[in-house]
Amino acid sequence: MAKISISPIITLVLILNVVSYSEAALGAHYYDQTCPQAESIIYQTICNASIYDPKVPARLLRMFFHDCFIRGCDASLLLDSTPENKAEKDGPPNISVRSFYVIENAKAKLEKACPRTVSCADIIAIAARDVVALSQGPWWHVLKGRTDGRVSKANETIDLPSPFSNTTTLIQSFAKRGLTVKDLVALSGGHTLGFSHCSSFSARLHNISDPSINSKFAINLKKKCPIHNKDRNAGEFLDSTSARFDNDYYKRITMGKGVFGSDQAMYGDTRTKPIVDSFAKDEKLFFSEFAASMVKLGNVGVKEDGEIRVKCSIVN
Ligand code: HEM
Ligand SMILES: *[C@@H]1O[C@H](CO)[C@@H](O)[C@H](O)[C@H]1NC(C)=O
Ligand SMILES: *[C@@H]1O[C@H](CO)[C@@H](O)[C@H](O)[C@H]1NC(C)=O
Ligand SMILES: *[C@@H]1O[C@H](CO)[C@@H](O)[C@H](O)[C@H]1NC(C)=O
Ligand SMILES: *[C@@H]1O[C@H](CO)[C@@H](O)[C@H](O)[C@H]1NC(C)=O
Ligand SMILES: *[C@@H]1O[C@H](CO)[C@@H](O)[C@H](O)[C@H]1NC(C)=O
């Protein structure tokens, strides 16, 4: 008779996985009784802010990713530093995560309508869905019921994947949070919106031995980012339709026109290339997979023992 034995190491890995992304009881109807107008208040705030500043949608989408990847989706990214503690928002990629005021405005309105009810973590999750829909992308039901964390540490942002990471590192980083290879490729489609500073990609332009980059595209990028560039704001849009949520990002990767080494690397790896191809060919498929992966991203490290912050930038 065959004997099945599970090694202690595998058992440990299984237990750790369960701990690091425990399934929380989030629900689509979480605020139906306590704050039925929550989503429309958030939507109006996001809409208004996006009209005043067209950079808002990309920034809020990225905010959700960064929040969820560090300590789970608990709005730890929104906390301000204090004299005793340097917070996540002042950690290394701080140059580009912005527009916190939009979430704070939504929170202020929610505190008037239904005090101490809607968490900042849920506001970010709803905002990320709204900005995608506003940019002509898909819409999905956001699951709610997250609570806000009380801890935020600048040094933990080291755990965010880097634009210079290879595909193996990206896959591992997503797997640590319960996300699959498909989730990695679908969520990277967030780069259909927004902008990047030169520092996130210029190193690859001066690497003559990088064959993955389209040579004409590289020349264009070099013009935007000269070697002795002094303009801290210089950079490039992440795809040619950077205000519209579409599958252009994948089409560009198939042509060697991914801005980040990490994005382009997905086309040089057999685990991810077929998925990139399928999204480049079929925008509907990309939309439905993106929506499903955003729901999964929203489940990462959800806390039920946190608090409902009154102001998103400080703990109660
Ligand atoms: C797979 C790993 C990822 C890496 C390595 C990565 C890296 C980056 C970098 C370096 C930037 C530009 C920062 C700058 O120089 O201004 C950026 C921008 C952006 N990222 Fe990602 N990212 C990843 C995944 C994601 C995901 C999962 C989303 C959302 C679903 C996302 C959404 C965005 C958006 C919307 C922008 C543009 C922000 C703006 O215009 O202000 N990224 N990302
Ligand atoms: C709309 O956005 C502008 C710019 O951020 C802000 O000054 C104004 O108060 C907002 N209005 C509403 C109704 O949220
Ligand atoms: C932003 O990150 C850089 C490292 O990339 C760090 O040197 C700097 O202190 C950070 N900014 C703030 C305001 O903490
Ligand atoms: C961040 O710093 C704290 C001490 O302030 C330390 O305990 C923790 O291990 C550090 N985390 C990382 C990811 O380096
Ligand atoms: C990917 O990057 C990691 C970290 O930099 C490195 O240790 C690893 O060897 C790389 N893997 C491949 C296949 O290049
Ligand atoms: C240059 O590109 C080659 C080939 O893709 C890669 O192996 C190498 O790590 C790159 N070097 C730098 C400094 O990015």
Side-chain angles (χ1 to χ4, degrees):
M1 203 174 78
K3 208 172 138 197
I4 300 168
S5 75
I6 298 174
S7 82
I9 291 179
I10 292 178
T11 313
L12 184 64
V13 168
L14 289 174
I15 291 170
L16 287 176
N17 273 340
V18 169
V19 170
S20 63
Y21 58 96
S22 63
E23 287 291 318
L26 299 181
H29 300 285
Y30 191 81
Y31 296 117
D32 280 6
Q33 307 303 321
T34 53
C35 193
Q37 67 277 53
E39 295 209 19
S40 70
I41 290 175
I42 296 167
Y43 179 74
Q44 281 161 20
T45 310
I46 302 301
C47 239
N48 174 58
S50 305
I51 292 167
Y52 277 83
D53 179 0
K55 292 178 181 152
V56 161
R59 287 173 170 177
L60 295 184
L61 178 56
R62 185 162 192 238
M63 189 185 287
F64 179 57
F65 165 56
H66 282 212
D67 181 40
C68 292
F69 259 51
I70 305 299
R71 289 190 172 265
C73 313
D74 70 340
S76 53
L77 177 58
L78 301 186
L79 289 172
D80 280 343
S81 293
T82 63
E84 303 80 43
N85 180 60
K86 194 169 164 187
E88 259 172 59
K89 63 163 70 149
D90 292 324
N94 54 35
I95 185 171
S96 51
V97 188
R98 287 182 189 160
S99 298
F100 296 109
Y101 73 92
V102 181
I103 305 295
E104 205 66 84
N105 284 351
K107 180 63 178 174
K109 288 182 196 153
L110 288 166
E111 282 305 300
K112 279 192 191 134
C114 1
R116 294 183 176 249
T117 305
V118 182
S119 67
C120 298
D122 281 347
I123 301 175
I124 302 177
I126 294 164
R129 185 274 315 277
D130 288 348
V131 295
V132 169
L134 270 178
S135 312
Q136 295 148 57
W139 189 93
W140 59 93
H141 286 284
V142 175
L143 304 183
K144 298 158 292 267
R146 297 167 190 80
T147 60
D148 299 324
R150 297 181 181 86
V151 176
S152 177
K153 296 206 167 296
N155 68 345
E156 292 179 351
T157 59
I158 189 117
D159 276 345
L160 286 167
S162 137
F164 303 101
S165 296
N166 59 40
T167 305
T168 299
T169 303
L170 294 179
I171 290 175
Q172 284 167 352
S173 169
F174 277 63
K176 249 171 80 180
R177 285 134 178 126
L179 300 168
T180 64
V181 175
K182 191 276 291 178
D183 294 322
L184 162 66
V185 180
L187 291 170
S188 296
H191 291 161
T192 179
L193 294 183
F195 176 85
S196 170
H197 296 84
C198 294
S199 55
S200 303
F201 60 83
S202 58
R204 53 190 299 253
L205 304 179
H206 306 289
N207 179 0
I208 45 164
S209 58
D210 184 346
S212 69
I213 187 164
N214 175 292
S215 50
K216 272 193 188 151
F217 180 61
I219 292 169
N220 279 333
L221 287 183
K222 273 184 199 164
K223 278 189 205 144
K224 303 249 166 138
C225 306
I227 292 188
H228 298 296
N229 162 40
K230 295 226 163 55
D231 179 4
R232 283 190 78 230
N233 296 322
E236 178 58 304
F237 292 100
L238 291 176
D239 87 4
S240 45
T241 54
S242 69
R244 186 191 169 101
F245 195 96
D246 57 19
N247 68 343
D248 191 50
Y249 160 85
Y250 298 101
K251 292 182 184 159
R252 291 172 66 82
I253 288 182
T254 67
M255 300 184 286
K257 297 180 181 178
V259 173
F260 301 136
S262 54
D263 286 340
Q264 195 58 54
M266 293 193 299
Y267 210 58
D269 189 297
T270 52
R271 291 166 293 183
T272 42
K273 183 174 187 284
I275 312 177
V276 173
D277 277 325
S278 69
F279 292 162
K281 277 202 206 92
D282 185 346
E283 188 173 72
K284 273 201 182 126
L285 175 69
F286 164 51
F287 279 13
S288 64
E289 294 297 347
F290 182 81
S293 293
M294 285 289 276
V295 172
K296 280 182 75 178
L297 177 58
N299 281 331
V300 174
V302 164
K303 290 187 182 58
E304 287 170 289
D305 59 346
E307 61 183 18
I308 306 295
R309 265 178 233 152
V310 174
K311 205 169 175 291
C312 291
S313 58
I314 45 174
V315 296
N316 291 345

